[in-house]
Amino acid sequence: MAVISLFRTARKLHLSLAPLSFIHISSSSSSSHLLNPKTLARSPILPPAIHLRQLHYLISPPPSNSRIFHGFLPHALSLLSPYSSGVREKERDEAAPPKPVQSWVDAYLPEMVRPYALLARLDKPIGTWLLAWPCMWSITMAAYPGEIPDLKMLALFGCGAVLLRGAGCTVNDLLDRDIDVKVERTRSRPFASGMLTPFQGIGFLGFQLLLGLGILLQLNFYSQVLGASSLLLVFSYPLMKRLTFWPQAYLGLTFNWGALLGWAAIRESLDPSIVLPLYTAGVCWTLVYDTIYAHQDKEDDVKVGVKSTALRFGNDTKYWISGFGAACIGSLAFTGYNANLAWPFYPFLAAATGQLMWQIFTVDLSNRMDCNRKFVSNKWFGAIVFGGILLGRLSS
């Protein structure tokens, strides 16, 4: 009778049954007539969406070890709540993968320009930083003792890094468009997704090279010849992943050409005792960060039949990149010694060593997001080394 009274009170006050977490009416009680499905179906206080059999299990649940009890009861109780649909929608929204964050390219550039900006990777500047830092190291090291580096040259090489990196990406995507459509991370690129045609890409490449030529012509003749020769590496690099398990080494030869070019732009010559160790340091550095980067795509690379040091090293990757990291730091120390950099260079080199060790020892090579995070952090490695060279040159 107490239960009947409760039901009647709720009906009079138009109360919801949502706060009631559980109602159990024994079949042996005097109110057993409530178990009659017809009576339940006519009850105005129960939501009509509830199936009669579901109500039977709700009111008189089976034993606690029953699969029906454990599987259905939470669902049946949620149906009684007027807020259940909103809660379920909120849970679905929270479980859904987050929408990709728009870059400044999508937010600010005109729609017709966006595919070309994405092709040049203007939305991902890390590649420009990695190309520019060896140039900045070399230009700063070539400055005379106690003097700041040539600011005009730093600006020219910075612009050149943007253009050359963009041209390299255009060449890479033109040659790899048949592979990019098969790889999850790259299938949204302009050629793979159909935003641009190869003909449009070739025209854009010509525009990039024309702007790059304008920068190259502002350097001395020795640097012009040396800079133009780097185009052989830029155009052939995308083919290396089809031919060898060491495309990262070839990328190192390409990306660190500025270590030679920066010195030549200031001194109009090359000093092998300085530029060769600096170039070697850059190549070893590239082998570290690009091997980490390649671990993002190792499963897809196996499917499409391309090669990388990530596949070559396998489970021994950390041993290999530790060796390359040690060679990088050793070569930088040797370069600083030969260039007569003052003592501030060495504390910065120690800090750069710590940053590189942090990458190598903490990276989770089976986690794509962590590999990308460690890869992007190399802009700080380059900045630390640059700071050391700058202060070492100013104090020498």
Side-chain angles (χ1 to χ4, degrees), residues 128-150:
T128 301
W129 283 116
L130 297 176
L131 182 61
W133 281 130
C135 305
M136 307 305 178
W137 298 347
S138 185
I139 292 171
T140 306
M141 200 170 287
Y144 291 98
E147 296 183 1
I148 63 173
D150 190 321

Side-chain angles (χ1 to χ4, degrees), residues 174-382:
L174 280 169
L175 296 177
D176 285 355
R177 60 187 186 276
D178 58 327
I179 296 176
D180 286 345
V181 296
K182 303 175 184 177
V183 178
E184 180 181 355
R185 187 178 57 83
T186 60
R187 64 182 54 165
S188 61
R189 288 178 176 174
F191 294 134
S193 63
M195 286 191 290
L196 291 176
T197 65
F199 180 77
Q200 290 172 314
I202 293 174
F204 182 58
L205 176 61
F207 175 71
Q208 290 171 299
L209 294 177
L210 183 63
L211 293 178
L213 178 62
I215 292 178
L216 189 64
L217 291 177
Q218 298 184 55
L219 307 180
N220 57 60
F221 181 74
Y222 189 91
S223 301
Q224 291 173 9
V225 175
L226 188 63
S229 62
S230 68
L231 293 178
L232 296 174
L233 294 170
V234 172
F235 280 90
S236 58
Y237 161 70
L239 301 174
M240 291 300 109
K241 64 174 69 75
R242 295 172 171 85
L243 304 177
T244 176
F245 279 100
W246 293 86
Q248 281 68 31
Y250 202 84
L251 179 67
L253 297 175
T254 306
F255 253 50
N256 294 280
W257 199 255
L260 308 176
L261 189 58
W263 183 279
I266 301 298
R267 300 290 184 97
E268 299 189 33
S269 64
L270 290 176
D271 185 343
S273 67
I274 296 176
V275 297
L276 290 183
L278 186 62
Y279 187 53
T280 301
V283 172
C284 293
W285 178 40
T286 303
L287 278 162
V288 173
Y289 67 66
D290 207 52
T291 298
I292 292 174
Y293 182 83
H295 270 273
Q296 297 180 95
D297 301 328
K298 53 191 175 185
E299 291 86 3
D300 292 321
D301 288 346
V302 171
K303 294 178 183 178
V304 300
V306 298
K307 303 174 177 66
S308 71
T309 49
L311 297 177
R312 171 65 179 80
F313 301 156
N315 294 331
D316 295 328
T317 291
K318 290 200 175 185
Y319 296 108
W320 280 90
I321 61 178
S322 295
F324 290 127
C328 170
I329 299 301
S331 297
L332 285 172
F334 188 56
T335 303
Y337 176 79
N338 289 344
N340 295 317
L341 295 179
W343 67 267
F345 169 72
Y346 297 98
F348 276 81
L349 184 60
T353 303
Q355 202 279 341
L356 200 61
M357 290 175 62
W358 167 77
Q359 290 184 54
I360 295 171
F361 293 138
T362 65
V363 64
D364 182 357
L365 296 173
S366 61
N367 187 316
R368 292 188 177 188
M369 291 184 63
D370 192 50
C371 287
N372 187 68
R373 183 162 51 247
K374 297 303 190 300
F375 167 73
V376 171
S377 75
N378 280 277
K379 63 185 177 183
W380 301 115
F381 175 88

